[in-house]
Amino acid sequence: MALTYPECLQATQVVLASGHVPTIVGEAGIGKSALVADLARQRHAKLFTTVVSLVEKGDLVIPVPPLTADSFIQTKDYGTLADVQFGYSHTLVAMIRYAEAHPDQEIIWFLDEFNRGTQAVQSELMNLVLQRQINSLHLPQQVRLILAENPDATMRGFADSHYGVTPGDAAIADRTTRLVLRADVPTWLDWAQASVNGQPRISQLVIDYLTENPADLFTAPTSDDQDADLLPTPRAWARVSSLLRELSRQDLLQQTAIVRELLQGNLGVVVGTAFAGVVAQQRPVMTVDQLYTDTAAVTRFTALPAAQQQHVLSLAIADQTDWPLTQGPTATRFTAALLACAPDGQFALARELAQAEDLLEALHGALNDPAVGRLYQTLTDIGQRGSQIEV
């Protein structure tokens, strides 16, 4: 049975604590690399990553010619022999140097896309995983190894997978602990809604869409999907979020063909087209720049549908670089627009702004500006009214 993201994170901790090597198996873009990065942060470990699909046999250890006279061995009857030395890859060199400089810190060496390397590369790496030694080089005791693989048709539950992988032999599979990671919508949405630099990590449009259509977070490729060369993944949705914010910044959300092509180019035709339709319905007919620069902006804003009003102000909350709310004219215009919204929209926006802790602190620090003070008091009043309604 596959594990959710938190479950897989916890199981990986257990495998490492028991002194063994975990292999995290999951579809492309599902979050394996992010999980290992989170694990390293939790354990305060230094993370080194090797993408095995890019490794060729011999890349880890490369024979080099003798470098000094001491490398030549003179024999009595058989002539001169060269004692060939070895050069090690930059990752191994950097790892050893780091271990020597930080002997008490744990190191995680992440071998990503392990089964997309050739059989020869896998065998070479597995020898290092099992013996913790390659030629004369010994891995420091503080190094922990984690493997990640895409599923292949030989694995239980993945009969329809068609990744370009090189399945390892039974001896390799028997020497690590396989943990299967599955797409976990609630956990991903929690991660998406977490505040980063005063705004949700992922665009609110994406969050709302996937809340209503959770099955579209991830679609596993199968051998039957001959025409579906692109399918939605958590990683693809994160890219879509960045694209939406950039489209909004460049005032291109009205360019239907561009928006649709960008979404289909990340999510595939079916889901990309469906989400493009949602974007078309939700995209604002007023930009953040227009909200603050158009003299008739408040009148135009009042005439917008409630959903578009809320979306415009959500974008305004996110845009604290060009239009910071800590400046009087910006705060004045935002307050006027906020008060033009319906009460439930006001409360939703006030709650969204309150969740942006850095922005809230910045507003509190600028209360000496009367306009900022009025905005802060307006938000407080809205919050109090909303709390009374909820009770």
Side-chain angles (χ1 to χ4, degrees):
M1 182 177 177
L3 300 173
T4 65
Y5 190 98
E7 290 170 341
C8 190
L9 188 62
Q10 188 173 25
T12 305
Q13 296 271 27
V14 171
V15 175
L16 291 178
S18 69
H20 299 291
V21 177
T23 296
I24 302 171
V25 175
E27 308 279 358
I30 205 170
K32 300 184 294 296
S33 299
L35 186 147
V36 175
D38 280 348
L39 183 78
R41 282 191 291 271
Q42 289 183 11
R43 296 172 70 95
H44 305 289
K46 175 68 175 177
L47 177 62
F48 290 88
T49 299
T50 296
V51 181
V52 178
S53 60
L54 303 178
V55 176
E56 298 290 342
K57 182 173 173 57
D59 283 357
L60 292 175
V61 183
I62 305 171
V64 296
L67 302 178
T68 67
D70 292 337
S71 299
F72 291 93
I73 301 171
Q74 300 294 334
T75 69
K76 178 180 178 182
D77 300 316
Y78 306 107
T80 302
L81 301 177
D83 185 9
V84 177
Q85 304 298 307
F86 293 92
Y88 294 91
S89 74
H90 177 74
T91 298
L92 281 171
V93 172
M95 193 184 306
I96 297 301
R97 286 179 172 171
Y98 190 89
E100 288 183 328
H102 306 85
D104 297 325
Q105 184 177 5
E106 184 179 52
I107 295 171
I108 290 177
W109 187 12
F110 179 40
L111 302 178
D112 197 10
E113 298 187 353
F114 187 84
N115 61 346
R116 300 189 77 169
T118 65
Q119 193 72 59
V121 169
Q122 289 185 40
S123 297
E124 189 174 71
L125 282 168
M126 277 308 299
N127 183 60
L128 184 58
V129 169
L130 298 174
Q131 304 299 327
R132 300 183 63 85
Q133 178 180 347
I134 186 166
N135 293 320
S136 61
L137 175 67
H138 296 263
L139 283 183
Q141 288 301 310
Q142 71 220 71
V143 175
R144 305 285 184 267
L145 293 114
I146 300 176
L147 280 57
E149 295 183 342
N150 290 132
D152 69 71
T154 68
M155 296 179 181
R156 181 180 179 183
F158 295 104
D160 291 330
S161 293
H162 67 293
Y163 288 97
V165 301
T166 305
D169 58 34
I172 290 178
D174 185 51
R175 284 167 169 78
T176 65
T177 300
R178 180 185 296 169
L179 302 172
V180 179
L181 175 64
R182 64 179 172 88
D184 174 23
V185 178
T187 300
W188 193 87
L189 287 174
D190 287 344
W191 170 84
Q193 294 176 82
S195 178
V196 176
N197 297 325
Q199 62 179 322
R201 178 182 277 115
I202 298 297
S203 163
Q204 192 63 45
L205 267 179
V206 172
I207 293 171
D208 292 343
Y209 177 83
L210 290 176
T211 299
E212 295 182 8
N213 304 276
D216 285 348
L217 174 64
F218 174 76
T219 301
T222 69
S223 55
D224 296 331
D225 294 325
Q226 298 300 320
D227 298 325
D229 61 324
L230 289 173
L231 294 168
T233 68
R235 183 165 56 200
W237 280 110
R239 289 197 305 272
V240 164
S241 173
S242 299
L243 288 170
L244 288 176
R245 284 171 172 161
E246 185 59 26
L247 285 166
S248 177
R249 190 187 72 80
Q250 295 190 31
D251 195 16
L252 292 175
L253 284 173
Q254 304 291 339
Q255 301 293 325
T256 304
I258 294 175
V259 172
R260 184 177 60 249
E261 192 70 17
L262 288 172
L263 297 182
Q264 290 180 352
N266 282 280
L267 305 172
V269 173
V270 176
V271 176
T273 301
F275 186 58
V278 172
V279 174
Q281 292 174 356
Q282 297 295 324
R283 65 190 175 199
V285 295
M286 175 183 288
T287 66
V288 175
D289 285 347
Q290 291 169 343
L291 173 67
Y292 291 123
T293 59
D294 189 339
T295 55
V298 176
T299 300
R300 287 181 55 204
F301 180 87
T302 303
L304 293 176
Q308 291 194 5
Q309 288 180 342
Q310 188 164 339
H311 187 57
V312 171
L313 292 189
S314 290
L315 293 174
I317 291 172
D319 187 1
Q320 294 304 298
T321 301
D322 296 329
W323 300 103
L325 290 174
T326 51
Q327 294 183 358
T330 305
T332 298
R333 182 60 60 87
F334 184 90
T335 302
L338 179 63
L339 291 173
C341 296
D344 56 342
Q346 292 179 13
F347 181 63
L349 288 161
R351 184 167 52 185
E352 180 179 337
L353 199 149
Q355 290 173 347
E357 296 180 1
D358 293 343
L359 175 55
L360 204 61
E361 290 180 5
L363 288 176
H364 191 270
L367 290 179
N368 58 317
D369 186 313
V372 177
R374 283 193 295 274
L375 172 58
Y376 195 90
Q377 185 59 50
T378 298
L379 293 169
T380 301
D381 293 343
I382 290 171
Q384 290 175 346
R385 290 198 303 270
S387 298
Q388 292 171 357
I389 292 173
E390 286 192 329
V391 172

